[in-house]
Structures are given as structure tokens and as C-alpha cells.
Amino acid sequence: MFAKIFKRLTIQAFITSFFLCFLAIFFVTYCVTAGNIDAQALIKTMFLWVAYAIIIVSISFLESRRLNQLFAAIHLLSIPLCILLFNQQGGFSIEMAIVLVILLITTSLFSNDFKKASSTKVLFLLGVLVAILAFINIYYSVFIITSLLILFEIRHRQIKNVIALFVGVILTLQLLWILFYVATGSFFYDSNILKSELSVIGEYSKEDIAWSATVFIALLTATIFRLSNYKTMAQRNNTFRVFQFMRIWLIISIFFRFLNINEGNAVWLESFIPTAFFLGIAIDAIKNGFLKNLIIMAILFSAISLKLFNYDLISF
């Protein structure tokens, strides 16, 4: 059933994905509120559904336009699965939403075909995006290492590209410092400005075994999956950069989690998109349709059961 629906990027796949996302988010809200869903929780649930829908459409458009419809289709399924598996602890704020949007835009940059787009322009824009991330949280400046994915390519290993990258970083930081000084009287970002909570208010479980296992599977897939296979199946050379960027993003998110870089409850949020990306690849690697459906159903059953157990709504 699932294998057939999410085999190709179709209207049916989109509708099914949106429906699964809504059910997953509503189920999480039910668990967090212990079944007492008020108007505010319902509004935030709808808002999160729209946010995930935008993520789904963005990733699908990116992959179908730049990479391959096959991977766009499978990620229509992996995102709802990850919503159920994700360690929902709240902490999804406007600040984190901006961070995820910037990282998605960065992914789009790496998917560019440099036969048509200038690598110098792309690196300048990458510098701009990394500067914004670093301004929000200095630890995010580590994402500048992803520029090496372009600079290590012989045809793009040019001084002007390195200069463009750092010019983007410096100019953006200067602009942000000026704007924040005019607006707040301080050159530096105040983390309280964009801390408005978008997550549903309730009692969140601290248990993260299910999500830790999912991240481990994603990391295992990122490590052992042959890039040559991914290139062949996706049919584009620029998929190498996207795959590598997602792998670096996943590794950084794991370090952020275990080094407690993020304050509060947003300890695993950076890992959501790269984990969904690699979980989709892991599922798609299963060629037998019956076995694929069986594994998907097992994931759904396990995720729902563990979520209910972690929130003391059932007992084993």
C-alpha cells in the first residue's frame, strides 16, 4: 500500500502525506495534552501542520526539480514517520523555525547545477546564510565547513570563490550588527527576541530512545550507503553535494545534542530534516514491496505505541 502510493511524486502521494502529517501532529498533541486539547492547542496544531506541509512541498519541489522524483516521493512518507518518532519536547520557537528555513535554503544552494549557476554567486549566498546562523548562535558558524563541498571541486577551487564566501559573511554580519544596534541599542542578538514558543503547551516526555535509534539508523545509512548508487538513481552529479551536506548537517546536529549546545528543550530539532532525508533513503533501499510495507507498518505501530507509553497513556 505505502510502497505503491509513495513510489512516484503524484497528487495522491501529496494528499496522503498531508493527511498523515495532520494525523501524526494531532496524535502528538493528544499525547502532550493528555487528551485535553483546547482551542490554543488546536490552533498550534494547525500551524505546525501548515509548517510541515511547507517543508514537504519545499523538499519535494527541490528534489523533483533538481534531483529525482523518486526521492521526493519517498520523503513524502519519511517526514510523517519522523513526526511520530521525533522526541517531542517542545522548544520549537520562531528562532528555530528561522534556522531550519535557512538550512533548507542552504540545501537548495548545494543542489544547484553549476553549469548553469555561478559557483561564486552560490558561495557568496552561502556566506550570507552562514552569517545569519552565526549571528543567531555562534555555534552555527560551524556550517561554514560545508563550503568545502564546493571548494574541493577542482573547477571551483578559485581565490575569487573564497573571497566571495568571506565577503558574504562579513557584509552580512556588519549589516545585522547595524540593524540590531538601531533597533535594540545593542550590536548583539538577544536570544529572547525570537523565543516565542510555537509548540503545543503541555507535559512533554523526556524519553528519547525512539528518536535516538532513528538518528542512529539515519547515521548508519549516511555512512554505508554508496554515493555512486545515489548518483545513478538520482541521475544528477550535484546530488553528491546534497548527500554530503545532509550527512554533515546530521553529524553536526548529533554533536549539538550531546554537547548540549541548545538551551531548553530544542535539543534534537536540528536533526529532524537530515534524519527524515536518510530514513527515506533507507526505506527506499528496500526493493521488495511487501517487505517495505511491513517495515513501514512496524515503524508506525512502534512509534505510536512508544509515544502512548512515554506519556503514560498505556502501560505494558
Side-chain angles (χ1 to χ4, degrees):
M1 178 178 67
F2 288 107
K4 184 177 180 180
I5 293 174
F6 294 102
K7 187 175 181 180
R8 295 292 176 188
L9 196 63
T10 62
I11 296 298
Q12 183 187 23
F14 269 111
I15 293 174
T16 306
S17 180
F18 291 156
F19 182 66
L20 289 175
C21 271
F22 176 77
L23 289 180
I25 295 168
F26 188 83
F27 174 71
V28 170
T29 301
Y30 174 84
C31 292
V32 170
T33 61
N36 300 314
I37 303 176
D38 56 19
Q40 185 183 40
L42 188 59
I43 290 172
K44 287 191 173 184
T45 298
M46 296 302 295
F47 177 84
L48 288 172
W49 179 47
V50 172
Y52 279 114
I54 292 173
I55 291 174
I56 288 172
V57 170
S58 300
I59 293 176
S60 300
F61 175 76
L62 165 66
E63 293 187 316
S64 63
R65 181 168 174 261
R66 301 276 178 78
L67 304 179
N68 184 284
Q69 290 193 5
L70 172 67
F71 293 102
I74 196 61
H75 290 132
L76 290 178
L77 173 62
S78 65
I79 290 175
L81 291 178
C82 280
I83 293 173
L84 287 174
L85 292 164
F86 185 57
N87 180 31
Q88 305 282 346
Q89 291 189 25
F92 186 56
S93 61
I94 296 176
E95 177 182 289
M96 289 305 303
I98 292 173
V99 169
L100 293 179
V101 168
I102 291 174
L103 289 172
L104 277 175
I105 296 172
T106 304
T107 306
S108 178
L109 291 180
F110 282 103
S111 70
N112 271 304
D113 182 357
F114 291 147
K115 293 179 181 178
K116 300 177 181 179
S118 167
S119 58
T120 304
K121 179 181 178 181
V122 168
L123 283 163
F124 174 81
L125 293 174
L126 180 60
V128 171
L129 295 173
V130 170
I132 297 173
L133 290 174
F135 186 75
I136 293 174
N137 187 328
I138 189 62
Y139 291 106
Y140 287 130
S141 60
V142 71
F143 276 98
I144 199 168
I145 66 175
T146 60
S147 63
L148 298 176
L149 296 177
I150 299 174
L151 293 173
F152 275 177
E153 296 180 24
I154 296 176
R155 58 180 174 172
H156 305 308
R157 200 179 299 168
Q158 303 171 16
I159 294 297
K160 68 175 183 178
N161 286 344
V162 177
I163 293 173
L165 174 68
F166 285 101
V167 166
V169 171
I170 294 169
L171 290 181
T172 304
L173 284 176
Q174 288 180 334
L175 179 61
L176 289 172
W177 285 332
I178 292 171
L179 290 175
F180 264 77
Y181 184 78
V182 172
T184 66
S186 172
F187 285 110
F188 301 103
Y189 170 74
D190 183 354
S191 59
N192 293 317
I193 294 176
L194 299 175
K195 283 294 185 183
S196 298
E197 189 76 16
L198 301 177
S199 303
V200 174
I201 297 174
E203 294 295 327
Y204 285 90
S205 170
K206 300 297 183 182
E207 184 60 61
D208 63 356
I209 293 178
W211 186 248
S212 297
T214 307
V215 172
F216 175 76
I217 292 171
L219 182 61
L220 196 62
T221 304
T223 303
I224 67 175
F225 195 85
R226 293 180 60 187
L227 283 174
S228 57
N229 289 345
Y230 184 70
K231 271 189 178 183
T232 302
M233 296 168 70
Q235 301 168 353
R236 298 285 179 87
N237 290 330
N238 49 341
T239 58
F240 176 80
R241 286 186 236 105
V242 174
F243 191 99
Q244 294 284 45
F245 175 74
M246 282 294 183
R247 179 155 58 186
I248 293 172
W249 182 354
L250 179 63
I251 292 171
I252 289 174
S253 71
I254 293 171
F255 274 108
F256 277 18
R257 167 63 183 92
F258 290 104
L259 295 176
N260 292 319
I261 299 300
N262 286 320
E263 299 177 357
N265 297 322
V267 291
W268 271 121
L269 277 172
E270 291 96 348
S271 68
F272 183 87
I273 292 175
T275 299
F277 177 82
F278 288 112
L279 181 63
I281 291 177
I283 292 173
D284 193 67
I286 303 168
K287 298 307 177 185
N288 184 283
F290 175 77
L291 181 59
K292 183 182 292 187
N293 284 324
L294 188 64
I295 290 175
I296 292 169
M297 292 300 296
I299 292 172
L300 283 170
F301 178 77
S302 301
I304 292 171
S305 300
L306 285 172
K307 193 74 71 178
L308 290 171
F309 177 76
N310 289 337
Y311 284 91
D312 297 323
L313 295 175
I314 62 170
S315 59
F316 294 141

